[in-house]
Amino acid sequence: LAGSVPEEERCTVERVDASLTYSLFLQRFAFSRPVILGGVTDNSAFRALCTREKLLAAFGPLPVRLSTANTYSYRKVDVPFQEYVERLLQPQDPARLGSDTLYFFGDNNFTEWGPLFQHYVPPPFRIPGTSPAYSFGIASSGSGVPFHWHGPGFSEVIFGRKRWFLYPPDKTPHFHPNETTLAWLQHTYPTLPPAQRPLECTLRPGEVLYFPDRWWHATLNLDTSVFISTFLG
């Protein structure tokens, strides 16, 4: 299935490069709109540690906590990391509900995964009064998290491609909380008039998306993907 989930026709999230200063980030994006940052960090060393072979060698027998891919009622399941990679990391079934779709993201044991995260270079910008927390994930083609919101944060793709859909806090998207993002893209997205479509873009390795506080967002992994988010709380 890799490569069969489409990218958007046109990216509608602004892209900036490493020339963006911290003061301009605060002025133009931090409290108002999302932005894609390119070239602000070099995570080639972290990426080299995140291959399938390296991760299985380092963490294969250790348990990971999986969450269901729905919006409001997360169910948690603990499995060995190797079992997740070898048995559960399968392309998303479009007919499967979010409550039946297991997803590895966010619930990382920092005692066990801490040595890996020490090699990650986070984005250089912060929101005043917040502190960062990492969430690491690995997911298959067609998987993703349906629409939800929380505090501000960054998300970087390490391997694969990840498509994002974003709405401002005052524009609640039309979605079913137990429908996967893939099903929403297939069934609801085509019916939306242009004015009701979200901001959207596909992130590639090395690109970082910033989303402000309380912005609705949904994600869709176009390939088997490795990614890490920095939540500012």
Side-chain angles (χ1 to χ4, degrees), residues 170-224:
D170 61 352
K171 195 171 182 181
T172 303
H174 176 68
F175 71 102
H176 189 286
N178 202 23
E179 183 179 51
T180 64
T181 307
L182 181 60
W184 175 86
L185 179 66
Q186 293 176 339
H187 302 141
T188 302
Y189 180 92
T191 70
L192 297 175
Q196 294 181 23
R197 291 198 169 180
L199 292 178
E200 55 182 312
C201 207
T202 296
L203 288 188
R204 292 173 177 79
E207 292 185 317
V208 179
L209 174 75
Y210 169 75
F211 50 89
D213 187 34
R214 295 176 181 265
W215 270 66
W216 289 94
H217 54 280
T219 61
L220 182 65
N221 298 292
L222 305 187
D223 313 300
T224 298

Side-chain angles (χ1 to χ4, degrees), residues 57-80:
F59 305 104
L62 299 179
V64 292
R65 176 155 291 180
L66 311 179
S67 301
T68 50
N70 50 352
T71 297
Y72 298 121
S73 56
Y74 300 114
R75 178 170 59 95
K76 305 290 186 180
V77 177
D78 292 338
V79 300

Side-chain angles (χ1 to χ4, degrees), residues 128-149:
T130 67
S131 57
Y134 294 147
S135 289
F136 180 70
I138 303 171
S140 56
S141 175
S143 66
V145 177
F147 280 106
H148 63 288
W149 59 265

